[in-house]
Amino acid sequence: MDTSKSETLFQRAQQVIPGGVNSPVRAFGSVGGTPRFIEKGQGAYIWDADGNRYIDYVLSWGPLVLGHAFPAVVDAIQQTAANGTSYGAPTELENQLAELVIDIVPSIDMIRFVNSGTEACMSALRLARAYTGREKIIKFAGNYHGHADMLLVQAGSGVATFGLPDSPGVPGGTTANTLIAPYNDLDAVRNLFEANPDSIAAAIVEPIAANMGFVLPDDGYLQGLIDLCHEYGALLILDEVMTGFRASIGGAQQAFNLDPDITTLGKVIGGGLPVGAYAGKREIMQHVAPVGTMYQAGTLSGNPLAMAAGLATLTELRREGVFEQIESRAIQLAEGIRAVMAEFDVPAQVGQVGTMFGFYFLTQPLASIHDYASAKKFADTDRYAQFFHGLLEEGVYLAPSQFEAGFLSSAHTEDDIDYTLAVMKSTLASII
Ligand code: KE4
């Protein structure tokens, strides 16, 4: 596969942008090789600067649930842009997307739009602290909620990918109020509440831990977490930046029948443009300025183009049968991966919920990955890197890290999945 143009572009990029990328996980650091510079996306496919086509299972890390350049989304952006790109004033588009999200996501009464998942999670925690008058927060090892200082503690995603220590530049005082518990361990959470009486504002959790790979919550874990928070006077923030509109159309909270106090959203809600949001019960959201005193702001928050892209995306996703079609492709892929791994007797752990999936190569046959410690211990990142490149060479684009999830879109066909499974089979045959 000729990747000379990507190699040249990468060398050029590294002169002017740290690591040549604007987000670390894109640099292929944990899998090696040259990141592909993408020139075009259409449906389930992307083309790199050398003209190589790939079936895309990253989909911009989740947002493109309808695939690349979906006509209704492109039209919405073009038509909106023709009237201007930003006003710094309210627009009906914001009302429309807010009303649509509230209609789709069970627990949400009110919503505030921001520009990224990081902003959403940062703001949600400030709101929880303002609402409860408490300062400490609980996060879970291996969960990733963006790069706000107080959350860069045992984080997942790129932090896990690169095995980074908790980031330099984050003052100790900032993380002193961040308490850590293992994922899927309710006793550890109860112990934190007992050891920090009346001082924990909230726990923030990924309902599917998809920034340490793909770890499902144990039965009863998430509801148990909500109950513990409420028992000790704290709020539960469900970080649905990734699972929103993907674990089910109503997110993980619909899939797992949960009623969180605050939900954070991102990715799909912007249809590929920068949007994040924090949302929840009216009684809590009324604390947000200007109606309340908890301050949060943003020049481009609720940007018309992003609102239009999000509206077009969610409107299509809600159409009869669309979500179910994407989900059936995800099931076809996950079941196929299990079958291929079994055929070659390769120790692996495969997960799928709604339109998202993930898998680990395991270093030990009977290993089970259920939290960050076991993910770091049992994930075979070397084998994943080999597998990643074997697929890439054959035009299949997975996440360039074992500690990320994969995504399907309404553009992926059964034939795309069959081709992907065939390439997985031939790649496994060559690497084991
Ligand atoms: P952003 O600030 O990247 O929009 O969102 C942060 C975030 C918050 N919460 C969850 C559950 C997330 O998964 C993310 C971001 N996800 C990563 C991929 N796992 C973004 C990819 C990247 O960092 O380039």
Side-chain angles (χ1 to χ4, degrees):
M1 179 179 268
D2 176 17
T3 58
S4 52
K5 288 197 172 76
S6 282
E7 287 157 33
T8 304
L9 287 168
F10 191 40
Q11 281 160 16
R12 200 172 119 200
Q14 292 175 86
Q15 303 310 309
V16 291
I17 300 170
V21 292
N22 286 302
S23 198
V25 71
R26 304 177 189 171
F28 279 25
S30 74
V31 293
T34 300
R36 301 301 193 264
F37 277 61
I38 304 304
E39 279 193 349
K40 177 186 171 188
Q42 188 68 45
Y45 313 119
I46 48 176
W47 286 260
D48 67 18
D50 295 282
N52 303 305
R53 190 195 83 161
Y54 306 89
I55 302 173
D56 183 10
Y57 292 102
V58 177
L59 295 173
S60 184
W61 301 97
L64 303 175
V65 71
L66 304 178
H68 293 274
F70 188 80
V73 174
V74 174
D75 290 348
I77 295 168
Q78 287 175 331
Q79 287 167 27
T80 306
N83 292 331
T85 54
S86 179
Y87 312 110
T91 65
E92 184 182 7
L93 283 167
E94 292 154 87
N95 294 3
Q96 291 169 317
L97 187 56
E99 289 158 356
L100 182 53
V101 172
I102 288 164
D103 193 35
I104 296 174
V105 185
S107 70
I108 295 177
D109 300 331
M110 296 191 90
I111 185 167
R112 167 61 65 85
F113 294 114
V114 294
N115 297 282
S116 70
T118 293
E119 253 194 288
C121 294
M122 181 175 75
S123 307
L125 285 162
R126 185 182 305 139
L127 173 58
R129 285 168 157 161
Y131 180 76
T132 62
R134 299 175 175 184
E135 294 193 356
K136 293 186 187 303
I137 59 170
I138 296 173
K139 81 172 284 290
F140 298 89
N143 276 195
Y144 179 74
H145 307 290
H147 63 87
D149 278 356
M150 63 189 149
L151 288 165
L152 278 182
V153 184
Q154 294 188 50
S157 188
V159 180
T161 295
F162 294 92
L164 297 176
D166 295 330
S167 173
V170 176
T174 313
T175 54
N177 284 323
T178 302
L179 308 173
I180 302 291
Y183 195 74
N184 274 326
D185 181 343
L186 287 175
D187 290 342
V189 176
R190 181 177 291 281
N191 292 341
L192 287 175
F193 275 116
E194 289 293 329
N196 299 274
D198 305 325
S199 57
I200 297 173
I204 183 167
V205 69
E206 287 186 56
I208 297 169
N211 282 292
M212 56 171 115
F214 198 89
V215 175
L216 295 182
D218 292 343
D219 288 348
Y221 171 67
L222 295 170
Q223 187 56 54
L225 203 46
I226 292 174
D227 295 344
L228 271 176
C229 286
H230 292 173
E231 181 184 337
Y232 287 91
L235 301 182
L236 191 280
I237 300 168
L238 205 65
D239 181 353
E240 294 231 51
V241 167
M242 198 191 296
T243 56
F245 316 105
R246 276 203 170 273
S248 80
I249 186 122
Q253 60 191 270
Q254 178 183 301
F256 301 139
N257 192 25
L258 303 168
D259 186 21
D261 301 298
I262 299 173
T263 298
T264 55
L265 296 168
K267 298 180 190 278
V268 169
I269 197 175
L273 271 65
V275 179
Y278 60 105
K281 306 301 182 194
R282 183 177 302 278
E283 197 245 333
I284 298 171
M285 293 301 290
Q286 294 283 26
H287 284 68
V288 179
V291 66
T293 54
M294 172 256 163
Y295 194 72
Q296 174 270 315
T299 303
L300 295 172
S301 295
N303 173 269
L305 307 193
M307 296 292 104
L311 264 170
T313 298
L314 293 182
T315 301
E316 171 63 17
L317 188 61
R318 283 193 100 183
R319 245 179 7 89
E320 184 68 33
V322 174
F323 187 91
E324 291 73 15
Q325 177 207 315
I326 309 168
E327 184 173 33
S328 57
R329 292 289 75 71
I331 292 167
Q332 178 195 354
L333 180 61
E335 288 178 352
I337 295 172
R338 286 191 187 97
V340 166
M341 298 295 181
E343 182 180 340
F344 287 87
D345 199 19
V346 171
Q349 179 175 313
V350 184
Q352 169 270 332
V353 178
T355 65
M356 53 197 291
F357 71 98
F359 65 92
Y360 295 97
F361 286 105
L362 300 173
T363 53
Q364 295 175 26
L366 302 179
S368 159
I369 295 178
H370 56 278
D371 63 8
Y372 194 33
S374 50
K376 288 191 289 184
K377 183 175 179 182
F378 295 123
D380 188 339
T381 52
D382 292 339
R383 176 163 279 182
Y384 182 85
Q386 283 184 298
F387 188 70
F388 169 84
H389 280 290
L391 267 67
L392 195 67
E393 281 296 308
E394 299 301 325
V396 175
Y397 193 85
L398 291 179
S401 161
Q402 169 69 93
F403 299 113
E404 294 289 353
F407 305 95
L408 275 296
S409 80
S410 54
H412 286 77
T413 65
E414 286 186 55
D415 288 347
D416 291 324
I417 308 304
D418 286 341
Y419 175 80
T420 301
L421 294 170
V423 169
M424 286 184 168
K425 203 167 169 177
S426 61
T427 298
L428 272 187
S430 68
I431 64 174
I432 62 167

